[in-house]
Amino acid sequence: MFKRTKLFLLFAIITISIQINAQQYYSYGGDWDDWDDWNVQVEFDRPFIEVNYGFGQPKHDKFNSDFSNIGLMEIKLGYLKESDLFYDNIDDRKETFLFGSKLSTDLSNSDPKPTEFESTLWRFGLATRHTLGYYSENFSVLPYHQDGFVWSMLELDETKYPVLHETLLGLLTPEAANDYKIVERYRDTFRFGTINEGGIRFEIMNTVSLNAGYEASVIFPRHLFWKQAGSYIIQKAGQGALTYFVNEILDSSPIAGPIVSFILQNGYAYAFHLLKQKDMNWPFDTETPLTYETFKLGVTFTF
């Protein structure tokens, strides 16, 4: 019964977060007495498909060996909600989507070194992307940041990294035994985690965009509901404060709003990611997680 309660509360937190981010991420101020200053037109539920290729490297703060570089192939399927704000040529977008990815040494554009640890990660998840950018009918520049939840499964080639029982681990060096114990926490089982990404999109004719982004994800070796919920709420509270600050900047200097939003929101998210590299549910004292940082290039088709 207690486990069901935790799962229900987790689902509620995820659902509320998505609704807040998707519907009320920016609530820009203005003079309500002067209605002519407001010109908000909302277009709902434009579907989009996005494909990405990227490259990066897994990391673990207590891993003695080096992970090999990985390549990424990814697809996103989702919907766009778009608003033309009362500020000229400033575009506010919220996208909610499902995604699936493969991150593997086999997809990398470089050969692994004999001493590097090779891996393949399969994952799927749900995320929201928030864009505050410069819009026109022919060409738009759209800086963004996104966050979401991800379930990941690590695969290892058993001919190179066989499953070792506890008695066989004693035959390895302490460093190698430590590394095996770490990866066995993730091998062949789906683990929950979080994902953040910042980047910029160049959109043509309000339909096709070329994208460049940097993604940071955290994979938890186990699930500690209350500490994870507390860490998530703290992170979201900080993002909410930054959103309020960006609103104030938009009121006084609209042209600077998208740039400031991009820097603050992505800088904050990456700083939080660095803190979670040692404690997966920072600021609480918890285990060290497996993390990925990946640079991505992609194309999006919006219908």
Side-chain angles (χ1 to χ4, degrees), residues 29-194:
D31 185 359
W32 284 97
D33 294 330
D34 189 359
W35 184 253
D36 290 336
D37 288 342
W38 291 77
N39 179 22
V40 182
Q41 298 175 352
V42 181
E43 182 178 357
F44 292 97
D45 296 339
R46 292 183 62 195
F48 72 87
I49 299 174
E50 179 175 312
V51 291
N52 291 296
Y53 173 78
F55 51 88
Q57 188 176 36
K59 297 180 181 180
H60 192 286
D61 194 60
K62 295 184 178 180
F63 204 74
N64 293 292
S65 303
D66 291 326
F67 284 98
S68 64
N69 293 331
I70 52 92
L72 171 145
M73 294 293 293
E74 182 175 68
I75 185 169
K76 299 177 180 178
L77 303 175
Y79 290 91
L80 160 70
K81 290 186 178 182
E82 182 177 29
S83 301
D84 296 330
L85 298 175
F86 55 92
Y87 303 114
D88 289 341
N89 299 321
I90 301 296
D91 190 34
D92 176 28
R93 297 183 176 186
K94 299 96 176 176
E95 294 161 292
T96 303
F97 57 88
L98 299 172
F99 66 91
S101 318
K102 178 182 180 181
L103 299 86
S104 176
T105 302
D106 296 337
L107 297 176
S108 174
N109 55 6
S110 61
D111 295 327
K113 299 177 181 178
T115 57
E116 291 180 333
F117 204 91
E118 301 177 37
S119 64
T120 295
L121 188 81
W122 296 92
R123 70 183 189 184
F124 67 93
L126 171 68
T128 55
R129 178 161 55 201
H130 317 287
T131 302
L132 186 64
Y134 306 99
Y135 170 82
S136 71
E137 289 293 336
N138 297 320
F139 183 75
S140 302
V141 179
L142 306 172
Y144 68 86
H145 75 278
Q146 74 177 46
D147 55 20
F149 302 97
V150 62
W151 288 261
S152 307
M153 181 174 67
L154 185 70
E155 284 188 355
L156 303 175
D157 185 346
E158 291 196 12
T159 62
K160 297 180 180 179
Y161 312 108
V163 178
L164 298 179
H165 296 288
E166 193 70 28
T167 54
L168 296 177
L169 289 176
L171 302 177
L172 303 176
T173 64
E175 293 79 9
N178 171 77
D179 291 351
Y180 260 91
K181 289 179 181 179
I182 289 173
V183 297
E184 287 302 321
R185 299 292 300 276
Y186 301 92
R187 187 202 288 256
D188 296 336
T189 185
F190 279 102
R191 296 294 186 185
F192 182 70
T194 59

Side-chain angles (χ1 to χ4, degrees), residues 25-26 28 145 235-250 257 260-269:
Y25 184 71
Y26 287 105
Y28 298 118
H145 75 278
Q235 182 175 0
K236 282 297 179 184
Q239 288 179 331
L242 290 176
T243 298
Y244 178 82
F245 184 66
V246 170
N247 290 346
E248 297 298 309
I249 293 174
L250 278 164
V260 175
S261 177
F262 173 80
I263 294 173
L264 291 182
Q265 295 287 3
N266 286 306
Y268 175 80

